[in-house]
Amino acid sequence: MLNEIYQNLDPVAFSLGPLVVRWYGLAYVLGFALAAFVIYRVAKRWRLGMTEDDLLTLMVCAIIGVVLGARAGYVLFYGDGYYFAHPLEIFAFNQGGMSFHGGLAGLLAGGAVAARLTEIPFLTLADLGAIAAPLGLFFGRCANFVNGELWGAPTDWPIGVVFGGAAGMMPRHPSQLYEAVLEGLVIFCVLFALSRKMPPRPRGTFVGAFLLLYGVFRFLIEFVREPDAQLGYLWGGWLTMGQVLSAPLVIAGVAMLVYAAKRKLPQEGPRRFVRPPEPLEPASPEDPS
């Protein structure tokens, strides 16, 4: 059933003359659009006072950080030296090659810039981003499935999919969909449900929970996901690069949850500069008041 669905999918969503729009590109657009909506709604519920300008600033910084970070992460962690020998290929975004872990680093860097520009505490922005980010992951992993990339290991399960091409003609785990459900839908539902509590949970709680859950889910899914061909298995023949990069996220997530529980910093909105009131002029002696 799932294999039949995949065989009827087209990576190209539609084309208008020379303009070709792929599902992968639409996944990014839809992911960022829904993330902005979720951030706005949660910030409003938390009564943070975030303006539309604040939201726009955050999204621009996030988009730039994710795209540049994801590409840089792929070049550094998965390129296996290829891009150092062909530096111009680094800018060939149309050929694919994006890394979640690099995108996460870029997102945090972009969030730090946005925090400075909007005067909203960094961890509050990070928490808002953590609640919304799984939606982008969901659409991104679905697009990976449509593209027939990042496939899983061979399997005899009924849901096995024949991806063809470099993946061969044997059925494989649709690991992209496993990740879409666990890294996307499950994490989003958990964090969004937690965000409903008022007053909001302490600053850092949501980003800590996101790092912990993502690290655990990604580490487990890597056991049924085919490692990148240029890297293969690492360190004794059973660890993948994805697992090596995900293990620190679990540690960071636990540390952030402990920090949030101990500090109990409240979620805060923009720290706007307020001009002090002008000093009152002293009353003149002739003034009857």
Side-chain angles (χ1 to χ4, degrees):
M1 178 66 175
L2 187 59
N3 183 59
E4 293 178 4
I5 294 175
Y6 171 76
Q7 302 306 328
N8 289 290
L9 294 176
D10 188 345
V12 176
F14 62 89
S15 58
L16 298 172
L19 177 64
V20 177
V21 179
R22 296 178 175 271
W23 287 111
Y24 194 80
L26 289 179
Y28 266 81
V29 173
L30 187 57
F32 281 120
L34 286 179
F37 176 75
V38 169
I39 289 172
Y40 177 78
R41 295 296 298 178
V42 173
K44 185 176 181 180
R45 179 176 177 80
W46 288 358
R47 301 183 181 90
L48 298 181
M50 176 183 282
T51 66
E52 293 180 359
D53 286 342
D54 294 330
L55 180 62
L56 179 61
T57 298
L58 173 59
M59 295 311 300
V60 169
C61 292
I63 291 171
I64 294 174
V66 167
V67 173
L68 295 182
R71 184 58 172 173
Y74 184 83
V75 169
L76 294 175
F77 300 134
Y78 297 96
D80 196 31
Y82 173 81
Y83 292 98
F84 294 106
H86 307 83
L88 292 180
E89 294 293 316
I90 295 175
F91 306 100
F93 286 87
N94 62 314
Q95 297 181 11
M98 306 289 272
S99 162
F100 164 80
H101 298 88
L104 175 61
L107 180 60
L108 293 175
V113 174
R116 186 173 183 84
L117 295 176
T118 62
E119 301 181 48
I120 300 175
F122 170 72
L123 281 181
T124 291
L125 290 182
D127 279 342
L128 292 171
I131 298 169
L135 292 175
L137 287 174
F138 171 77
F139 290 112
R141 294 310 185 190
C142 288
N144 290 147
F145 178 76
V146 174
N147 285 349
E149 58 192 6
L150 306 181
W151 54 78
T155 182
D156 56 2
W157 291 10
I159 59 173
V161 175
V162 178
F163 292 101
M169 300 308 294
M170 74 285 288
R172 293 180 175 274
H173 282 285
S175 56
Q176 312 97 322
L177 299 184
Y178 302 165
E179 291 181 278
V181 172
L182 293 177
E183 301 169 5
L185 295 182
V186 171
I187 295 181
F188 172 74
C189 290
V190 170
L191 297 187
F192 187 74
L194 291 175
S195 75
R196 305 295 292 172
K197 181 180 181 295
M198 291 295 292
R201 285 171 168 79
R203 219 182 298 170
T205 299
F206 297 90
V207 69
F210 173 84
L211 293 174
L212 173 61
L213 291 173
Y214 181 89
V216 170
F217 289 153
R218 178 66 182 271
F219 193 93
L220 294 176
I221 292 173
E222 286 286 322
F223 285 114
V224 294
R225 177 175 162 176
E226 191 79 5
D228 293 77
Q230 70 273 23
L231 296 180
Y233 289 98
L234 310 174
W235 297 355
W238 67 278
L239 275 178
T240 66
M241 179 60 77
Q243 289 172 318
V244 171
L245 296 175
S246 295
L249 297 186
V250 176
I251 299 173
V254 172
M256 181 55 66
L257 288 173
V258 172
Y259 171 87
K262 286 188 175 183
R263 294 295 305 275
K264 292 184 172 60
L265 298 175
Q267 303 288 356
E268 294 181 349
R271 298 166 177 168
R272 307 297 189 199
F273 173 77
V274 180
R275 178 179 296 178
E278 296 289 338
L280 294 176
E281 298 239 354
S284 63
E286 295 81 10
D287 190 343
S289 62

